[in-house]
Amino acid sequence: TPVAASAILSIPEQVGDAGLLFDPFSSSSMAESILKIVSDSELAKELGTRGLKKIASMTQQGYCSQLEDLFGELSNANGH
């Protein structure tokens, strides 16, 4: 399923190139993203394919590895 999502907080990182991002404070930006998806079947299909690849890459091991790296960076930043 193709996605149109708000471009705030961590959503852009989670969506990546698998969806269209819009300004949550702009109804025209939101409408433009939705209209692109519903009017361009090739784009919708491509976003759906990218979404499947994106979700397949989000594994528990990958998340744990990223969390471990973050803790290491925080520890090093605090001189521990």
Side-chain angles (χ1 to χ4, degrees):
T1 301
V3 172
S6 177
I8 59 168
L9 303 173
S10 65
I11 293 174
E13 181 182 354
Q14 292 171 347
V15 171
D17 69 347
L20 299 181
L21 299 173
F22 58 79
D23 177 352
F25 301 106
S26 167
S27 58
S28 63
S29 175
M30 187 183 307
E32 182 180 323
S33 293
I34 293 168
L35 287 173
K36 279 183 185 178
I37 291 172
V38 299
S39 65
D40 186 339
S41 61
E42 286 300 313
L43 174 63
K45 184 177 179 180
E46 178 62 27
L47 291 175
T49 299
R50 290 179 193 173
L52 289 172
K53 289 178 184 175
K54 183 75 173 171
I55 199 69
S57 73
M58 297 175 140
T59 64
Q60 183 178 3
Q61 180 61 34
Y63 175 77
C64 290
S65 178
Q66 288 179 334
L67 197 55
E68 202 171 68
D69 291 346
L70 176 61
F71 287 150
E73 289 175 25
L74 291 173
S75 179
N76 290 336
N78 289 323
H80 298 304

